[in-house]
Amino acid sequence: MTLVAVTQRVSVCQQTQERRDALDQNWTRLLQSSGVTPLLIPNTLQNPVDFFETSGARGLLLTGGNDLVSLGGNAPERDNLEMQLIAHARDNTLPILGICRGMQLIQNVFGVKLEAVMGHVTPNQIISVNGIERSVNSYHNFGSKETVPDLVVWARALDTTVKAVEHRSENIKGLMWHPERLHPFHSEDLDYIRRAFAS
């Protein structure tokens, strides 16, 4: 199995005032079903690039949760960590896959303007994947209807909101749905993750 670095959401426990790193257990199930071994990355590492390098991870998965700070989010430590890891992965031509927030961060890195969108929090949404309709879930409040030359759009919602992108020349991909929340896991998503991190 391919070892992949996986980022986590910051979850604030009001009762104890703890800032906790968290990841849905379904991610481990999904990734292992795709031939990937997850390495969870703590958000407060002093040197996340060293951690990434010494781990031997062969790719980077940016998971969902937490709006970007520029969009009103409250997890600056996560923004900082993920930006460092994206830069390192790009410098070393390692694959990057962003899910929901992760795709938003990728879009942000490449200069896509993100705006508030309506109607994109639902367990069932019809999207167009290369002209073919597919049902997915959707749990995001920000998105875009435009892209930039570096990022090719291959899936859109019916209101034309961008739902999936791939970089033209680098191994960078993004999905705006949550494959870990579909049960059973969708074979197309398993194949996509497998191809994204193929050695």
Side-chain angles (χ1 to χ4, degrees), residues 5-122:
V6 179
T7 64
Q8 305 177 77
R9 73 175 60 223
V10 174
S11 177
V12 179
C13 177
Q14 297 300 330
Q15 183 177 1
T16 61
Q17 291 303 301
E18 293 174 332
R19 295 180 69 82
R20 299 174 177 176
D21 294 335
L23 187 73
D24 184 346
Q25 292 178 354
N26 283 317
W27 265 117
T28 301
R29 298 183 182 100
L30 175 71
L31 291 172
Q32 290 185 326
S33 296
S34 303
V36 171
T37 298
L39 173 69
L40 306 190
I41 307 294
N43 281 301
T44 55
L45 288 173
Q46 289 187 346
N47 197 327
V49 170
D50 279 355
F51 184 89
F52 193 153
E53 277 191 308
T54 58
S55 73
R58 302 307 305 156
L60 174 63
L61 173 64
L62 308 165
T63 62
N66 303 123
D67 289 331
L68 305 180
V69 170
S70 61
L71 299 174
N74 63 349
E77 68 271 43
R78 183 178 182 186
D79 284 19
N80 178 58
L81 172 117
E82 290 184 338
M83 289 294 289
Q84 290 185 61
L85 295 183
I86 288 172
H88 174 74
R90 293 184 70 195
D91 286 345
N92 291 273
T93 63
L94 297 174
I96 301 170
L97 175 59
I99 304 298
C100 198
R101 169 210 157 87
M103 178 171 138
Q104 292 173 353
L105 185 56
I106 289 169
Q107 289 175 298
N108 187 69
V109 166
F110 286 95
V112 175
K113 184 179 180 182
L114 298 168
E115 300 178 325
V117 294
M118 301 295 292
H120 286 269
V121 178
T122 174

Side-chain angles (χ1 to χ4, degrees), residues 106-188:
I106 289 169
Q107 289 175 298
N108 187 69
V109 166
F110 286 95
V112 175
K113 184 179 180 182
L114 298 168
E115 300 178 325
V117 294
M118 301 295 292
H120 286 269
V121 178
T122 174
N124 184 35
Q125 183 179 60
I126 301 300
I127 64 172
S128 176
V129 178
N130 294 320
I132 299 173
E133 288 191 353
R134 179 186 165 186
S135 177
V136 296
N137 55 40
S138 183
Y139 296 101
H140 63 98
N141 293 307
F142 297 93
S144 69
K145 296 189 177 180
E146 305 296 332
T147 191
V148 292
D150 284 333
L151 298 179
V152 177
V153 176
W154 60 269
R156 288 184 183 271
L158 298 185
D159 69 356
T160 74
T161 297
V162 175
K163 301 298 282 192
V165 296
E166 291 189 359
H167 194 279
R168 286 189 183 276
S169 58
E170 300 179 46
N171 190 355
I172 300 175
K173 300 174 171 58
L175 305 176
M176 284 302 289
W177 62 91
H178 285 258
E180 80 281 8
R181 296 183 187 177
L182 295 172
H183 301 288
F185 300 135
H186 200 288
S187 61
E188 290 182 15

